[in-house]
Each structure stands twice: as C-alpha cells, then as structure tokens.
Amino acid sequence: MTKVGLIGLGLMGKPMAKNLLKAGFDLTVMSRSEGPVIELETLGAKRAESYSSLGAVSEFVVTMLPTPAVTKEVVLGPGGVLGGMKPNSILIDMGTEDPALAREIYERAKEIGVSALDAPVSGGDVGAIAGTLSIMVGGDRDVFERSASVLGAMGTNISYVGGAGSGQAVKAVNQVMVAGILATIAEGLTLLERSSVDTEAALEALMAGRAGSNLLKAKARQILDQSYAPGFKVDLHLKDLGIVEAYARENSVVMPFTQLAKSYLEAVSYSGGGELDHCALVEVVRGLGDLSLG
Amino acid sequence: MTKVGLIGLGLMGKPMAKNLLKAGFDLTVMSRSEGPVIELETLGAKRAESYSSLGAVSEFVVTMLPTPAVTKEVVLGPGGVLGGMKPNSILIDMGTEDPALAREIYERAKEIGVSALDAPVSGGDVGAIAGTLSIMVGGDRDVFERSASVLGAMGTNISYVGGAGSGQAVKAVNQVMVAGILATIAEGLTLLERSSVDTEAALEALMAGRAGSNLLKAKARQILDQSYAPGFKVDLHLKDLGIVEAYARENSVVMPFTQLAKSYLEAVSYSGGGELDHCALVEVVRGLGDLSLG
Amino acid sequence: MTKVGLIGLGLMGKPMAKNLLKAGFDLTVMSRSEGPVIELETLGAKRAESYSSLGAVSEFVVTMLPTPAVTKEVVLGPGGVLGGMKPNSILIDMGTEDPALAREIYERAKEIGVSALDAPVSGGDVGAIAGTLSIMVGGDRDVFERSASVLGAMGTNISYVGGAGSGQAVKAVNQVMVAGILATIAEGLTLLERSSVDTEAALEALMAGRAGSNLLKAKARQILDQSYAPGFKVDLHLKDLGIVEAYARENSVVMPFTQLAKSYLEAVSYSGGGELDHCALVEVVRGLGDLSLG
Amino acid sequence: MTKVGLIGLGLMGKPMAKNLLKAGFDLTVMSRSEGPVIELETLGAKRAESYSSLGAVSEFVVTMLPTPAVTKEVVLGPGGVLGGMKPNSILIDMGTEDPALAREIYERAKEIGVSALDAPVSGGDVGAIAGTLSIMVGGDRDVFERSASVLGAMGTNISYVGGAGSGQAVKAVNQVMVAGILATIAEGLTLLERSSVDTEAALEALMAGRAGSNLLKAKARQILDQSYAPGFKVDLHLKDLGIVEAYARENSVVMPFTQLAKSYLEAVSYSGGGELDHCALVEVVRGLGDLSLG
Ligand SMILES: NC(=O)C1=CN([C@@H]2O[C@H](COP(=O)(O)OP(=O)(O)OC[C@H]3O[C@@H](n4cnc5c(N)ncnc54)[C@H](OP(=O)(O)O)[C@@H]3O)[C@@H](O)[C@H]2O)C=CC1
Ligand SMILES: NC(=O)C1=CN([C@@H]2O[C@H](COP(=O)(O)OP(=O)(O)OC[C@H]3O[C@@H](n4cnc5c(N)ncnc54)[C@H](OP(=O)(O)O)[C@@H]3O)[C@@H](O)[C@H]2O)C=CC1
Ligand SMILES: NC(=O)C1=CN([C@@H]2O[C@H](COP(=O)(O)OP(=O)(O)OC[C@H]3O[C@@H](n4cnc5c(N)ncnc54)[C@H](OP(=O)(O)O)[C@@H]3O)[C@@H](O)[C@H]2O)C=CC1
C-alpha cells in the first residue's frame, strides 16, 4: 500500500484526505487543530508527531496549507517536511502559492533527490468532497505520471501544464477569472433580482447561453439566498489576488478588472466578512444602492 | 404549412431564416441589403415588397434588427410591419432591445389584436447556425406556447421568463455577464500567454474548474489567434450596454465593473474596431502594456 | 440702465440675480417656484408673466436652469424666451448643457438676429454668492465683449474660449476633473481620518503641496463633518456626466476614471441622496468598509 | 556652523543639498553615483567615506533615497548611518516610506539617544530647486522645533502633523490624491485637446474654478506638449502607491480609484516609461483611443 502524508486538514485538505483513504492509501496526517486530526484517525489515518517524521514515512507528501508563508515554513523551514523526506519520494504542494515559491521548492527538493510538483486545484470544497477537483500540475512530466494514482484519488480533471511553477501560473489565471466572473455575476444578479421575472427560468436561460459559467451554476442560489457559509473564503481569495498581482507585475500585465474585483473583496473583508464565501462580494453591489446617508 | 415572415438577414437573422426553412416553414423575408435576400430566395423563401405586406401574409413575424431605433421604425413606424399584421397573428422580436420598447410593442400590438413576444437570444452566430440558441421569452404564456414550433426551429434552450419585457430584462443581465466575463478572460489569457505553460492543457484545466465559462470555450482560440471576425460586433455590444445602463438606472443598480468593460469596448470601437468581434477587447489589455511613448 | 432678464432662480440663479441688481441692472426674473421670485421683487426686480414677454423687454437674457431638457424647452420651445427676443439682443445660457445644444441655440438665435453665448460657470454656490464665478464663454468674440458688464457682475474669471459650444466643451472638461478630484479626495480623506494625525495641519500641508486643489480647500471641512447641504447637487453632477459621456463619445475619448466617479455619484443618488452636495460621494468610500453582512 | 549630513543626491536630494549650502550649513554628502557628489564638493560640501562616518560628524542627518528598502539598508543596516550618530543628534528621513518604517527608525534611534523625524515632502523637483517644498513632519514636537532651521532651508510650508509615522501617513494621503488628480487631468485634457477651443484660455478658466489644482498648474503644459522629462518618476510613484496600498489595508480603506490610477501608471511603466515623469500617464488615455488592431 502506497504511503501518503498530508499536511493541512482544512476546508479542502480534510475531504481530500478522506478521498485518499477511500482510495486505499496508507495515510499519515498533521494539522494545526486537533479536531480534524482525530476525525481522520477514526477513519483509519495515522498521526505524525512532526513534519519531518511525516516526511520520513511517506512516499508522497501532499501539502494543503492556507498561504505561501505557511507553506514555506512547513516545507522549507527548520524542522520542515522536506528535511525528513527520503530520496525518490515526491512532494505535491496543492495549495495556491506564487509560481516563484513553487520553483524554489522544486529546486530545494531536487538538491536532496526529492521530486516536487505544484498541483493547485479548482472546484471548491464541493469538488474536494466529491473528488472531482480540477488539478493543474507543474513539474517534471515523469513525476506527474508517477503521481497519477494519488492525484486521481482527489480530482477528475488532471492536467500537466508544464515545468515547475506552471501549475501555479495557471492557477493564478484561474483566480483572475474567478474573481472577475464573480464580480460580473454580482452586478448581473442584482439587476435580475430587481426585475420581475421568473428567476429560476432566467438562470436556466443564462446558463445555457453565452453568459453561462461554472460559477453561476455553483453560486447563483447562494447569492440569491444571501447564504455565505464557505466554500472559498474571501480572505483566501484576497491572498490569491496578491499572488496574481506580483505575478502580473513580473509579466508586465495590467489588470484593472482584477483590481476592481479585488477592491470588492476587500470591502467584504474590511467589513468583517473575511471568513465568508467569496460570493459574498455581491453585498458590495447591493450596498452601493443602499448607503446610509445620515 | 405555417407562414413565417422574418426581417433582418444579418449575422444572426440569415442562419435563423435558414433554420426556419429547414424546419419546413413557409418563409417570407426582407432585409436592407440584397445579397442575403437573394440567397434565401434560392433556398426557397419568398421576398416581400414592404414591411406591411410581409406582415399581412404572415402568421408569425420574426424581427432580428440591429438596434432599438431600427426595430422601432420597422415595427411601429409608418408603413411598419405591425400595421399590416392580422388579428391573432404573433410578432416575435428576437433582437436585443430595451425592456421598455418591448412593453411598448406589446401594448401597441394588443390594441389591434396581435400578440407580441420579446424573445432575445444568446449563443452567438455559432448558435444561430447550429439552431442551438438560448432564447429568453417575455409576453403572455399562452402565446409563448403557441410559438413553440417557430422558436424551436432556432434554439434549443427556450425559457419563458415572464410578462412583456421580461425576455429583454434577462437579456440585459446576460449582456452584463458577457461583457464582464470577456473582460476578465482578456486579463487572464494575457497573463497566460506570457507564462511558459502548455496553453491547450491550461485551457482545458481552466474550463473544468471554477473559471470555466461558455465564453472561454467559445472565444479562447480566437483571442489567442487574434482573429476577430464577428460573431458579435463590438458596436452591437456597446448598444446593448447602453440598454443595460438605462435599465440599471431604472432599477437603481450601480455597475462599476460593467462600466469598465464598456470603456474597454469603447476603446476598441474608437480605435476603429466597432465591426470586430467583441472578444477584440483583449487588445485593450495587450495595448496597455505596449503604449507608444514617443 | 441696461435691461437684463434672468430665468431660473435656484441655488445658482438667485444669488446671480442679486449680483445683477447690485451692479445696477434693470432686472426682470422668472422661475418655477414663487418664493425666490417674490424675494427678488422685494430687492427691486420685476416679474415677467411669460418667457416670451421676458424676452421682449430684455437686452440680455440669462438662463440658469437645471437640465438641457428644461433649457431647450424654456428657450426654444413653443412660447419660449427666444421667440420673444428682439434683434440685436443677447441670450446668455449659463447653465451646463451639451455643446450640441449650445450650437443649436446659437443657430436658432442667429436666424432671428439674436446673438447667443454659452457661458457655463464654475465656483459653486459660494462663487455665485460672492460674485466670483469662473465663466467659460463660447460664441462670437464681439458678442462676448458686448456682454462684459453683465458677466462681470457675476464672475471674476471670465474667459472667452472659442466659437459657439466652446464654453460648454470646457465646462465638460471641468466636470470631468471635479468628479475625479472629488473621488480621489474621498479616498484620501477617508485614509486620513483613520490615521492619528493632526487633521488641520495635515490639510494645510496637503493644500500647499502637489495634492492641493480648489475642491480640497472648498470641501474638506464639509466632508470631515459629514454635512452635505448643497452646494452642487449629486443629481446635477450626474446630469453633467451624462453630457460628458455623450461629448466624449463624439470625440472618441475613453474615460474609465470618470465612469467610476459616475458610479459613485449614482450610488449616492440611488441611496436617496440625489439632492445632497456632490461631496457626499465620500459616503461610498466609507460605506465600502462598513457593509452590512447580515 | 551647524553640521548637516545628507545622503542621496538624486532629483530631489541634489537641489535640497544646494539649498542647505546656500543657507550656510556645514554640509557633508554621500550618494551612489560620483557625479552629484563632485558637483556638491565644488560648491563647498564635504564628502564622507562611509555612512557611519557621515553620521559621526553630523548634528543633523537628512536622507533622501529612492525606496524604503534602500532607506532601511542605509539607515539601519550594518554600517548604516544610525550606527555612527551621536546622542542628541537628529535623523530626518525626507524620502517617502511606509509609516511602519518611520516608526521603526524612530524606535531604533531612540534606543541610542538619537531623535528621528519622518519628514516627507511634496512639491516636486521644482519645489526642491526653489526651496519651496511642502514638508509634513512626524515625530516629537520639540525635535521638530529644534529642526526648524534645517527644514526651513528646503521648504516653505512645514507642518508638524503628529507622532512618529504621521508625516508618512499624510504623505500617503498626498500620493493618493496626486495619482487620482493626475488620472482625471489625463482624461479631461485629452477631451480638451479634441475640442476646438482656445486651450490657454480654457486652462486659465479651469484653474480659476472648481477644477483648479496645483497639479493642473504644474503639469498641463508638459502634458499637452508630451514632454515627460522627470520631475517625479513613474516608478517612484508606483513605489509610493505600494506603500499606500499596505497602509490602506492596515486601516481598512478600499481604494478603487487609486487602484485604477495605479493601473494607468503600471501601463506606462510596463511599456518602458518607468523613468518618465508621472504625468506621462496621459498616454494611457490617448492610447485607449488609438489601439493597433492588426
Ligand atoms: N451577433 C450575435 O452574436 C448576436 C446578436 N444579437 C442581437 O441580434 C440582433 C441582430 O444582430 P446581428 O445579426 O449580429 O446584426 P447585423 O448587423 O449582422 O444584422 C442586422 C441586419 O438588419 C438589417 N437591417 C438594418 N436596418 C434595416 C432596416 N431598416 N430594414 C431591414 N433590415 C435592416 C441589416 O442589413 P444590412 O445587411 O444592409 O446591414 C442586417 O442584415 C441585434 O439586436 C443583436 O444585438 C443577439 C445575440 C447574439
Ligand atoms: N450649484 C452649483 O454649484 C452649480 C450649478 N451649475 C449649473 O447651473 C445650473 C443651475 O443649477 P442650480 O442652480 O444648482 O440648480 P437648482 O435646481 O438649484 O435650480 C434650478 C432652478 O430652475 C428652476 N426651474 C426648473 N424648471 C423650470 C422651468 N421650466 N421654468 C422656470 N424655472 C425652472 C427651478 O425652480 P424650482 O425652484 O421650482 O425647482 C430652480 O429655481 C445647472 O445647469 C447646473 O448644472 C453650474 C456650476 C455650479
Ligand atoms: N522627485 C519628486 O518629485 C519627489 C520625490 N519624492 C521622494 O523622494 C525620494 C527621492 O526621490 P528622487 O530624488 O526623485 O529619486 P532619484 O532616483 O532621482 O534619487 C535617488 C538618489 O538616491 C541614490 N541612491 C540610491 N541607492 C543608494 C544607496 N544605497 N546609497 C546611497 N545613495 C543611493 C541614487 O543614486 P544614483 O544617482 O546612483 O541612482 C540617487 O541619487 C523618494 O522617496 C521619492 O519618492 C518626494 C516628493 C517628490
């Protein structure tokens, strides 16, 4: 049985871990909070006492942590997981990070005979639970191929997109579009809810035509019902747009739309909604028509 | 054989007319330019000599004209098609107009015993050719039902969304989202083409995840190849965003994101690209990184 | 004593009328509401019973009405003031209109031997009261010179800027900058009020450096005190930005920044603040950090 | 004769140094390039061989360096100027930095008995040459008072605005407004140059009314003549807007206008104009109407 270690049992990592167990992997986990670790133990996973010991017992290590800073610390920091990993093992970082960090991890891993993939995902908590994530993978192609069964336990659309950092580059593009589509959905649905039309029929028509998008399908109900349990948190999306910004600067791409969408997300975050689902940015559009003017 | 008249044989109207013929309708057409009329005659359609005579011979009249001003003139103006129509016949305007015009046509038709539907479409010239348009229909439900076979010859996703004007209201929402999604695709793909990744694989991954959209599917190739034959013309989209603006004002909805997309489309139009496909707005994003600074 | 007629005794027109009286002109007035007319009568003005009779008794007619639609009706409509005016008299429209209307009035006046100037103003109600308005004048230069004493009674910075419509063109540019500067002041001062600095000293420093502007001087106190009595009403500024938009389209100028400022003013208007002073747009910036998230 | 040290003889620092000499101070300088150092020696300044030796011989040290990173290195780094300074001497950082760095320098200085002021400036190279800078000062009030003669040699509008970091906070607000005003001037003047009006007269009228601003006065000619020698460099303004962004985030202020202005500046920088004067952002507005569409 292939030994897999997974670090970070959050909204995404926990269901991914469960899918690894279901697929028959011999799973060792670590996370900051106790709760999810215990939950996974109940389901048959082992618990590691340190990042480096988790590294030492794993053929594959998957990381799914909140920010590049945390990932860097946990992977490359003193006592980090990479330090414990054995030659020929594979490190798969599935969090969203900047392409530069992905390349740094790749290089540092190579020095000690470990192979690294950057394999960020799209599809939300729903996709993580269902095991239908879209996974964009950067790194060496043969390593990608050797990782097929592990990745296949978590996602259904798994694409090799190029050398180290390429997965993160595509994920940056993904986050650009997700932010922009959400912003335009927010404006469109606000207009729709002010119109006296059959909303369900309208949504179906919109989905079928040029305006149709995976996000409209996934989020329209939530937006119209104003129910913002995450899902993908506003503050994580803001973190990703920070990554996008740096990457766009490196590549000399100007992004006023993405910046405007970022401002909308900031408005939600500054108003106390950083932990809400990112589709809460519709509240900006609603709020703009309902200012309190003393 | 049901008699259908169709006015406006442009990018959309011509293939729609062909599909009506294919479906076995007895078709009479008119348009401004000769070419498409002759082409349709060859295929079995008749030609009318005046709007009102076209109205007089038709059980259903379909209009597919470029702007509300033209539609108003052709339908309601002196010598217009409505004047010739017989009681119990049905007028279906499938162009994109403001909801107010749809309601005006509905009322004016009612006065003379004619029923009117506003039935704007989405799906582009590709959908018009394939007969797979998404059609959003406003008006009386029984009239919608009586029109099923006519609409069904042109589209596959046909939704009744409410009373007169509702179809246009939903289409306004559609155009908001189409503009916004196009803008965000423009930024995303510009970033993508600066990254050294496998573009085809990346597009597939993007389509499968949260960033996936019908527009990305339809337009990514065109954008990457910089081939902007229309499709849906920049100036028509600007016309639609003018409709959106007025409708949003009526409904007190603020739309900064849509306004920004409108500015980009204006940039293309003012630079001489009003007849290009609207996905040419990507050239704004490219141009912003490539100003000529004397 | 030169006979002057003035129509429109609003926030601007009333103090302008008073300054004409003070300067010794023989003044006849009209307005929609009774109050200001009575007030001006008390101060020595006459009252006209119809626009055309006001035109008939005046060597100079000044109009100061809220919108192009109203101005067009009052000046060119049936029973309008132009119809009553005698050859060689001068019509000075000081409201903000589109350059096209200014040119139309100029032509229509010319046909009956009347000279017209477009002479919009800047300086706010404060400038109108103090008689220190900045006036941008379009039309024939000799007519401008013949109008010097009338204009001089109301403003101190009076510039001839070119042929008919030129005054309105410059005023359009003025309104672009006023909207943009207000928006940036809104963001800047919101940041300032969150900082623990000596606000008065900071404002003085800002005024003295590159950030200094006439608007900052005029509005900073009002903004910090959240006191939004007009001044210049939000809805009038929106009207002006509608003019700007059409004029920019005619001249193929794309204005994303101005559009965004327009969205902010719309947000205030849609939230019920259309009659507040335009500096109330700062409430949008404040509101974006204080959304109600259920 | 009071001994002053100055580090950083760039566009701003060099004329400031000359004004210190003119005011009779005993000046020691350092910079990266030789040219300006030799020029100042010719005028009577001394040259230091190291930052710490410059610190050791100075009662006042002024720093005028391009970025927070450089300032941090030169002031706090190993061999930095602070390490050489004697108790009771005063360190005045006049560059634009983040408020957090100002507070850090203040604390580190305090530990060794040195007093620090953050004293960023506004007024451009023109103000630096003329000695008419606007200076916003944070730190201890008594230290501000003891520094009066030094600051007075370089500026005329010198405001004490609060404790350590306050000067930089006000400067951040200044840079917000400068960016925004520049963006709106760009749109306004582009519209103006398309209008057939008397430009000089128009500018005078604009300056006198509500649209008037110090930037319009300083930059209108340059913009209309497309002559972009700096002045204040695009890349320095971008650096400042990075500072603004972080400071706005700390204070939960959403800034879509500032972001849009930043995008305009980025467009200039990415197009190769990072060393041009920031008023070159007008080229974005011009470029948007003149895309090359293959
Ligand atoms: N293209 C697309 O992808 C989509 C378009 N639409 C909407 O469909 C409508 C039609 O668009 P589209 O087909 O692209 O536009 P086109 O400009 O291609 O076609 C318009 C047609 O109307 C004809 N026409 C114009 N004026 C008159 C008149 N007075 N009398 C008779 N015929 C006239 C034109 O003639 P001539 O050939 O001489 O110009 C042309 O054939 C618009 O409302 C558009 O917004 C909706 C969804 C998608
Ligand atoms: N306020 C400002 O700071 C500035 C305003 N302007 C421009 O000046 C113009 C006037 O603005 P402002 O004074 O603020 O606007 P107000 O709304 O305060 O005043 C408009 C006046 O016109 C009267 N009026 C409306 N319709 C008619 C009519 N059909 N016949 C006669 N009188 C009528 C109104 O009467 P009633 O009292 O009954 O409403 C009111 O007295 C506008 O074009 C504005 O854009 C320009 C620069 C600055
Ligand atoms: N220019 C303007 O209009 C204004 C600028 N400011 C601010 O003032 C500061 C300076 O700006 P400005 O003068 O325009 O910038 P410049 O780039 O013209 O000058 C910076 C100077 O610092 C020198 N320098 C760079 N690194 C070092 C180092 N490690 N040690 C010593 N010297 C170094 C540079 O040397 P070298 O010559 O070799 O490059 C140069 O002389 C910035 O913070 C800016 O934001 C504030 C208001 C207005």
Side-chain angles (χ1 to χ4, degrees):
Chain A
M1 232 165 43
T2 308
K3 290 172 202 296
V4 177
L6 187 150
I7 306 176
L9 297 170
L11 275 173
M12 297 297 286
K14 196 171 77 173
M16 286 159 67
K18 291 183 185 175
N19 283 327
L20 286 166
L21 280 178
K22 254 187 252 165
F25 289 102
D26 180 354
L27 186 69
T28 305
V29 299
M30 275 190 76
S31 200
R32 199 170 50 182
S33 304
E34 264 298 287
V37 176
I38 294 170
E39 189 179 342
L40 265 292
E41 282 185 304
T42 320
L43 297 170
K46 289 166 210 147
R47 162 205 297 264
E49 291 311 317
S50 70
Y51 297 130
S52 58
S53 67
L54 182 143
V57 301
S58 304
E59 294 160 84
F60 292 86
V61 171
V62 172
T63 46
M64 197 60 181
L65 295 158
T67 65
V70 171
T71 300
K72 191 166 183 176
E73 181 65 23
V74 168
V75 173
L76 302 179
V81 66
L82 184 60
M85 289 178 75
K86 286 168 302 193
N88 292 318
S89 62
I90 296 178
L91 172 64
I92 310 179
D93 179 22
M94 300 185 73
T96 302
E97 332 282 358
D98 43 284
L101 177 58
R103 287 188 295 261
E104 187 183 348
I105 290 174
Y106 176 89
E107 292 301 339
R108 293 277 300 275
K110 198 170 187 177
E111 288 166 13
I112 61 165
V114 172
S115 298
L117 297 176
D118 49 298
V121 305
S122 184
D125 57 329
V126 175
I129 293 167
T132 58
L133 290 168
S134 176
I135 312 182
M136 310 146 217
V137 189
D140 296 338
R141 186 184 281 276
D142 64 308
V143 177
F144 167 71
E145 277 154 16
R146 282 162 53 207
S147 308
S149 63
V150 173
L151 294 171
M154 297 176 282
T156 42
N157 299 283
I158 305 171
S159 315
Y160 176 75
V161 294
S166 299
Q168 296 296 356
V170 176
K171 175 70 184 184
V173 171
N174 189 83
Q175 292 309 75
V176 163
M177 292 188 192
V178 169
I181 295 174
L182 224 42
T184 198
I185 285 177
E187 294 189 355
L189 290 191
T190 302
L191 189 58
L192 190 71
E193 62 191 359
R194 304 278 172 93
S195 308
S196 36
V197 302
D198 176 336
T199 310
E200 288 311 318
L203 285 174
E204 219 173 287
L206 291 166
M207 270 309 299
R210 284 280 149 105
S213 65
N214 294 356
L215 270 168
L216 183 64
K217 189 166 186 165
K219 300 286 179 186
R221 258 300 107 231
Q222 245 183 299
I223 288 174
L224 293 168
D225 296 349
Q226 300 191 257
S227 93
Y228 304 128
F232 186 56
K233 289 175 202 157
V234 164
D235 281 347
L236 284 184
H237 205 159
L238 280 170
K239 179 260 301 180
D240 291 357
L241 293 179
I243 291 170
V244 163
E245 224 173 328
Y247 188 61
R249 196 178 308 125
E250 254 177 65
N251 288 283
S252 298
V253 180
V254 185
M255 300 196 137
F257 281 96
T258 308
Q259 288 295 349
L260 188 53
K262 184 162 170 252
S263 292
Y264 283 26
L265 288 168
E266 286 173 340
V268 178
S269 181
Y270 298 168
S271 301
E275 300 283 309
L276 299 181
D277 189 79
H278 58 164
C279 74
L281 74 64
V282 70
E283 292 300 330
V284 175
V285 182
R286 291 191 183 119
L288 283 172
D290 192 28
L291 300 169
S292 81
L293 295 170
Chain B
M1 229 165 48
T2 309
K3 290 172 201 298
V4 177
L6 187 150
I7 307 176
L9 298 170
L11 276 173
M12 298 296 288
K14 197 171 76 173
M16 287 159 67
K18 290 183 185 174
N19 283 327
L20 286 166
L21 280 178
K22 254 186 249 163
F25 290 102
D26 180 353
L27 186 70
T28 305
V29 298
M30 277 190 73
S31 198
R32 197 171 53 184
S33 303
E34 264 299 286
V37 176
I38 294 170
E39 189 179 342
L40 265 291
E41 283 186 303
T42 321
L43 296 170
K46 288 165 210 147
R47 161 205 298 264
E49 291 311 317
S50 71
Y51 297 132
S52 58
S53 67
L54 180 142
V57 301
S58 305
E59 293 161 86
F60 292 86
V61 171
V62 172
T63 46
M64 197 57 181
L65 295 158
T67 65
V70 170
T71 300
K72 191 167 182 176
E73 181 64 23
V74 168
V75 173
L76 301 179
V81 67
L82 184 60
M85 289 178 75
K86 285 167 304 193
N88 292 319
S89 62
I90 295 178
L91 172 65
I92 310 178
D93 179 22
M94 300 186 73
T96 303
E97 333 282 358
D98 43 285
L101 176 59
R103 287 188 296 261
E104 187 182 349
I105 290 175
Y106 176 88
E107 293 302 339
R108 292 278 299 275
K110 199 172 186 176
E111 288 166 14
I112 60 165
V114 172
S115 297
L117 297 176
D118 48 299
V121 306
S122 185
D125 56 330
V126 174
I129 294 166
T132 58
L133 290 168
S134 176
I135 313 182
M136 312 148 217
V137 190
D140 297 338
R141 186 183 281 277
D142 64 308
V143 178
F144 168 70
E145 278 155 13
R146 282 163 51 207
S147 308
S149 64
V150 174
L151 295 171
M154 298 176 282
T156 42
N157 299 281
I158 306 171
S159 316
Y160 175 75
V161 293
S166 300
Q168 296 297 355
V170 177
K171 175 70 184 183
V173 172
N174 189 84
Q175 293 310 76
V176 164
M177 292 188 193
V178 169
I181 295 173
L182 220 46
T184 197
I185 285 176
E187 292 190 354
L189 290 191
T190 302
L191 189 58
L192 190 71
E193 63 191 0
R194 303 279 171 92
S195 307
S196 37
V197 302
D198 175 337
T199 310
E200 288 311 319
L203 285 174
E204 219 173 289
L206 291 166
M207 269 310 298
R210 284 281 150 106
S213 64
N214 293 356
L215 270 168
L216 183 65
K217 190 168 185 162
K219 301 286 180 185
R221 256 302 109 229
Q222 244 182 299
I223 288 174
L224 293 169
D225 296 349
Q226 301 191 258
S227 93
Y228 304 128
F232 185 55
K233 290 171 201 158
V234 164
D235 281 346
L236 283 184
H237 205 159
L238 279 171
K239 177 261 301 180
D240 291 357
L241 293 179
I243 291 170
V244 163
E245 223 173 332
Y247 188 61
R249 196 178 305 126
E250 255 177 62
N251 287 283
S252 298
V253 179
V254 186
M255 301 195 137
F257 205 81
T258 308
Q259 288 295 349
L260 188 55
K262 186 164 169 249
S263 292
Y264 277 43
L265 288 168
E266 285 172 341
V268 178
S269 181
Y270 298 168
S271 301
E275 300 282 310
L276 299 182
D277 189 78
H278 59 162
C279 74
L281 77 62
V282 71
E283 292 301 330
V284 177
V285 181
R286 290 192 182 118
L288 284 172
D290 192 27
L291 300 169
S292 81
L293 295 170
Chain C
M1 232 165 42
T2 309
K3 291 172 201 298
V4 177
L6 187 150
I7 306 176
L9 298 170
L11 276 172
M12 297 297 287
K14 196 170 78 172
M16 287 158 66
K18 290 183 185 175
N19 283 327
L20 286 167
L21 279 178
K22 253 187 251 163
F25 290 102
D26 180 354
L27 186 70
T28 304
V29 298
M30 277 190 75
S31 199
R32 198 171 53 181
S33 303
E34 263 300 287
V37 176
I38 294 171
E39 189 179 341
L40 264 293
E41 282 186 305
T42 320
L43 296 171
K46 287 167 211 148
R47 164 205 296 261
E49 291 312 317
S50 70
Y51 297 132
S52 58
S53 67
L54 182 144
V57 301
S58 305
E59 294 161 84
F60 292 86
V61 171
V62 172
T63 45
M64 198 59 180
L65 294 158
T67 66
V70 171
T71 300
K72 192 166 182 174
E73 179 64 24
V74 168
V75 173
L76 302 179
V81 66
L82 183 60
M85 288 179 74
K86 287 168 303 196
N88 292 319
S89 61
I90 295 177
L91 172 65
I92 310 179
D93 179 22
M94 301 185 73
T96 304
E97 332 283 358
D98 44 284
L101 177 58
R103 287 188 295 262
E104 187 183 349
I105 290 175
Y106 176 89
E107 292 302 339
R108 291 279 298 277
K110 199 171 185 174
E111 288 166 12
I112 60 165
V114 172
S115 298
L117 297 177
D118 49 299
V121 306
S122 184
D125 56 329
V126 174
I129 292 167
T132 57
L133 291 168
S134 175
I135 313 182
M136 310 145 219
V137 190
D140 296 338
R141 187 184 278 278
D142 63 307
V143 177
F144 168 70
E145 278 155 13
R146 281 163 53 208
S147 308
S149 63
V150 173
L151 295 171
M154 297 176 282
T156 42
N157 298 283
I158 306 171
S159 316
Y160 176 75
V161 294
S166 299
Q168 296 296 356
V170 177
K171 175 71 184 183
V173 172
N174 189 84
Q175 292 310 76
V176 164
M177 292 189 193
V178 169
I181 296 174
L182 219 45
T184 198
I185 285 177
E187 293 190 354
L189 290 191
T190 302
L191 190 58
L192 190 71
E193 61 190 2
R194 304 278 172 91
S195 307
S196 37
V197 303
D198 175 338
T199 310
E200 289 310 319
L203 285 175
E204 219 173 287
L206 291 166
M207 271 308 301
R210 283 280 150 106
S213 66
N214 294 355
L215 269 169
L216 183 65
K217 189 167 185 163
K219 300 286 180 186
R221 257 302 106 230
Q222 245 182 299
I223 288 173
L224 293 169
D225 296 348
Q226 300 191 258
S227 93
Y228 304 127
F232 185 56
K233 290 171 202 158
V234 165
D235 281 347
L236 284 184
H237 206 160
L238 280 170
K239 178 259 302 179
D240 292 357
L241 292 180
I243 291 170
V244 163
E245 223 173 328
Y247 188 61
R249 195 177 307 126
E250 255 178 63
N251 286 282
S252 298
V253 180
V254 186
M255 300 196 138
F257 205 81
T258 307
Q259 288 295 349
L260 188 55
K262 184 161 170 253
S263 293
Y264 276 43
L265 288 168
E266 285 172 341
V268 178
S269 181
Y270 297 168
S271 301
E275 301 280 309
L276 298 182
D277 189 79
H278 58 162
C279 73
L281 77 62
V282 70
E283 292 300 331
V284 177
V285 182
R286 291 191 182 118
L288 284 172
D290 192 29
L291 300 170
S292 81
L293 296 170
Chain D
M1 230 162 48
T2 309
K3 289 172 202 299
V4 177
L6 188 150
I7 306 176
L9 297 171
L11 276 173
M12 297 297 287
K14 196 171 78 174
M16 286 159 67
K18 290 183 184 173
N19 283 326
L20 285 166
L21 279 178
K22 253 187 250 162
F25 289 102
D26 180 355
L27 187 70
T28 305
V29 298
M30 277 190 75
S31 200
R32 197 172 52 183
S33 303
E34 263 299 287
V37 176
I38 294 170
E39 188 178 342
L40 265 292
E41 282 186 304
T42 322
L43 296 170
K46 287 165 213 149
R47 162 206 297 262
E49 291 313 316
S50 71
Y51 297 133
S52 58
S53 67
L54 181 143
V57 302
S58 304
E59 293 161 86
F60 292 86
V61 171
V62 172
T63 45
M64 197 58 181
L65 295 159
T67 65
V70 171
T71 300
K72 191 166 182 175
E73 181 64 23
V74 169
V75 173
L76 302 178
V81 66
L82 184 59
M85 289 178 75
K86 287 167 303 193
N88 292 318
S89 62
I90 294 177
L91 173 65
I92 310 179
D93 179 22
M94 300 185 73
T96 303
E97 332 283 358
D98 44 285
L101 177 58
R103 286 187 296 261
E104 187 182 350
I105 291 175
Y106 176 89
E107 293 301 339
R108 292 279 299 276
K110 200 171 185 176
E111 287 166 13
I112 60 165
V114 171
S115 297
L117 297 176
D118 48 298
V121 307
S122 184
D125 56 330
V126 174
I129 293 166
T132 58
L133 290 168
S134 175
I135 313 181
M136 310 147 219
V137 190
D140 296 338
R141 186 182 280 279
D142 63 308
V143 178
F144 168 70
E145 277 155 14
R146 281 163 53 206
S147 308
S149 62
V150 174
L151 295 171
M154 297 176 283
T156 42
N157 298 283
I158 306 171
S159 316
Y160 176 75
V161 294
S166 300
Q168 297 296 355
V170 176
K171 175 70 185 184
V173 171
N174 188 85
Q175 293 310 77
V176 163
M177 292 188 193
V178 169
I181 295 174
L182 223 44
T184 197
I185 285 177
E187 295 189 355
L189 290 191
T190 302
L191 189 58
L192 190 71
E193 63 190 0
R194 303 280 172 91
S195 308
S196 37
V197 302
D198 176 338
T199 310
E200 288 311 318
L203 285 175
E204 218 173 289
L206 291 166
M207 270 309 299
R210 283 281 150 106
S213 65
N214 294 355
L215 270 168
L216 183 65
K217 190 168 185 161
K219 300 285 180 187
R221 257 301 107 230
Q222 244 182 301
I223 288 173
L224 293 169
D225 296 348
Q226 301 191 258
S227 93
Y228 303 128
F232 185 55
K233 290 171 202 158
V234 165
D235 281 346
L236 283 184
H237 205 160
L238 280 170
K239 177 260 301 179
D240 291 357
L241 293 179
I243 291 170
V244 163
E245 224 173 330
Y247 188 61
R249 196 178 306 124
E250 255 177 62
N251 287 281
S252 297
V253 180
V254 186
M255 300 196 138
F257 281 95
T258 307
Q259 288 295 349
L260 187 54
K262 185 163 170 251
S263 293
Y264 283 25
L265 288 167
E266 284 172 341
V268 178
S269 181
Y270 298 167
S271 300
E275 300 282 310
L276 300 181
D277 188 78
H278 58 163
C279 73
L281 74 64
V282 71
E283 292 301 329
V284 175
V285 181
R286 290 193 183 118
L288 283 173
D290 192 29
L291 300 170
S292 82
L293 296 169

